[in-house]
Amino acid sequence: MSPERGPLAERLAHLIETSGPITVGDYMAMANAHYYGTRDPLGAGGDFVTAPEISQMFGELVGLCLADGWQRAGRPEGALYVELGPGRGTLAADAVRAMRSAGLSPEVHFLETSPVLRAVQAERVRQAHWHEDLSTIPDGPWLVVANEFFDALPARQLVRTESGWRERLVRVEGGCFVPAAGPPVPDAALPGHIRAAPSGTIVETSPVSLAVVRRLAGRLAAGGGVALIIDYSHTRTAAGETLQAVRGHAYADPWQEPGESDLTVHVDFEALAAAAAGAGVRTLGPVEQGHWLTALGIDARAASLARGVPQRAEEIEATRHRLVAPEQMGSLFKVLALASPGWPDPAGFA
Ligand code: SAH
């Protein structure tokens, strides 16, 4: 390996050279575990910016949507706010404040593996409890949000070759990480409408995401509650590579310097919804983020904030526009809701 490589790249290259190529999913899992475990990547000085970091309105409307569902469910005792991958804790802080104004003060539980981000979250949400896994989060109605969480979970890649579908593996060639076709996979591993795709086609699936969503749906079905899953995506399962790396607010090469850029894939909402429905919950959407925030009243919230601080009116309008405009985040980002049996449909999905 060339001398400028980081410690993870050295470890990965050594692993591949001694034990053989690894799957794209394992490459992505190891790269992101190192990436998130060693830094706070969010914000202007980091690698990327998320909706809650753009405006407090995002977290407030998430909180109001969850509180409204809880009220219409009959204000059950012991509701928990559960967030998957809470980043800096900004969304949670804004959502909890909005829920309190609606008469709900839930315990806060975070699924977060990064020690660096846990420390940042602790400064914003002092009363939070942290978990490595959904299994240790207590029972009770769950009010769940996951914003830009599923896109960071490892994806498997399959590639169509002249001799059928194959697992895509990562090798080391000439000191570089290179993806290449590996062992054959049965056609049954692919959705029917994709099987006959031409040679060279790449398909991504995320077994880890499906496992998480199944467990989440199972807990919602048993204990009550709703979940809001927000991410950028395609609505239907489709062929095509979406794996991308982002570093310093620009696209980077996902095969270079693993662990030093944010690796993501588009979230397959069709597959997530099917997995959730199979585990006993209703699914709503996905709807476009712009449509959803508008239905929840972001225009009125922006106007009210601007009345309070007229000197910031222009900035407030600019952030509202960034969240909802189709050419900004409004269309690419989508919201999928899961609702347990007996709970009302959350607002914004009509
Ligand atoms: N939701 C936040 C941050 C998104 S970044 C926001 O909107 O600003 C992705 C988040 O998921 C980070 O908090 C990261 O540490 C966490 N994360 C990534 N992979 C994870 C995993 N396998 N288990 C738990 N958390 C994970």
Side-chain angles (χ1 to χ4, degrees):
M1 290 281 108
S2 50
E4 73 275 14
R5 280 190 185 281
L8 178 74
E10 286 297 344
R11 266 207 326 274
L12 268 182
H14 182 72
L15 174 73
I16 292 170
E17 278 160 354
T18 53
S19 313
I22 58 173
T23 63
V24 170
D26 285 344
Y27 176 86
M28 190 174 169
M30 286 188 258
N32 274 354
H34 178 83
Y35 176 75
Y36 284 106
T38 52
R39 76 206 71 200
D40 169 4
L42 290 144
D47 290 326
F48 60 96
V49 175
T50 55
E53 301 296 332
I54 291 170
S55 168
Q56 70 187 78
M57 295 186 285
F58 184 82
E60 289 170 348
L61 290 169
V62 164
L64 290 174
C65 177
L66 295 174
D68 166 68
W70 169 80
Q71 282 169 343
R72 287 187 290 120
R75 307 170 74 96
E77 291 289 317
L80 312 178
Y81 173 85
V82 175
E83 189 173 338
L84 317 185
R88 285 184 171 167
T90 309
L91 198 174
D94 292 335
V96 166
R97 191 179 62 248
M99 287 190 282
R100 219 175 281 135
S101 76
L104 170 62
S105 299
E107 271 185 23
V108 175
H109 291 266
F110 288 158
L111 180 75
E112 175 61 72
T113 40
S114 163
V116 176
L117 287 171
R118 280 186 180 199
V120 179
Q121 291 153 18
E123 284 173 23
R124 304 260 160 102
V125 189
R126 293 186 186 281
Q127 75 277 28
H129 305 270
W130 283 267
H131 304 265
E132 295 271 319
D133 195 275
L134 290 178
S135 65
T136 54
I137 301 179
D139 291 335
W142 283 10
L143 305 170
V144 184
V145 61
N147 185 60
E148 291 210 50
F149 168 73
F150 284 98
D151 65 351
L153 297 186
R156 178 183 188 191
Q157 287 188 338
L158 305 175
V159 58
R160 172 84 196 214
T161 67
E162 296 298 341
S163 53
W165 287 97
R166 290 174 178 267
E167 182 84 40
R168 210 165 183 227
L169 299 179
V170 182
R171 305 172 186 282
V172 175
E173 277 173 28
C176 298
F177 295 101
V178 180
V185 289
D187 277 3
L190 291 124
H193 66 285
I194 290 172
R195 277 177 210 162
S199 184
T201 304
I202 291 170
V203 169
E204 293 165 343
T205 65
S206 181
V208 175
S209 296
L210 298 182
V212 171
V213 107
R214 262 185 223 112
R215 256 176 259 140
L216 174 61
R219 295 294 299 270
L220 288 173
V226 293
L228 300 169
I229 297 173
I230 308 152
D231 234 305
Y232 62 104
S233 75
H234 36 276
T235 21
R236 287 215 63 207
T237 303
E241 181 175 28
T242 69
L243 177 69
Q244 67 179 32
V246 167
R247 185 174 188 176
H249 304 274
Y251 291 112
D253 182 342
W255 309 114
Q256 279 191 22
E257 298 188 77
E260 301 304 321
S261 61
D262 181 37
L263 293 185
T264 62
V265 289
H266 281 213
V267 169
D268 182 349
F269 276 120
E270 187 184 10
L272 286 191
V281 298
R282 288 191 325 287
T283 67
L284 297 101
V287 297
E288 293 184 355
Q289 171 174 298
H291 172 91
W292 187 70
L293 291 173
T294 303
L296 287 176
I298 195 171
D299 294 352
R301 182 66 190 129
S304 149
L305 280 176
R307 272 194 305 277
V309 262
Q311 64 278 21
R312 284 188 51 214
E314 234 172 82
E315 173 201 332
I316 291 164
E317 170 50 23
T319 59
R320 186 203 65 81
H321 186 259
R322 191 160 166 203
L323 293 176
V324 306
E327 72 280 12
Q328 302 267 330
M329 297 174 78
S331 285
L332 180 60
F333 281 81
K334 295 176 187 74
V335 191
L336 173 72
L338 316 182
S340 65
W343 274 60
D345 289 353
F349 294 88

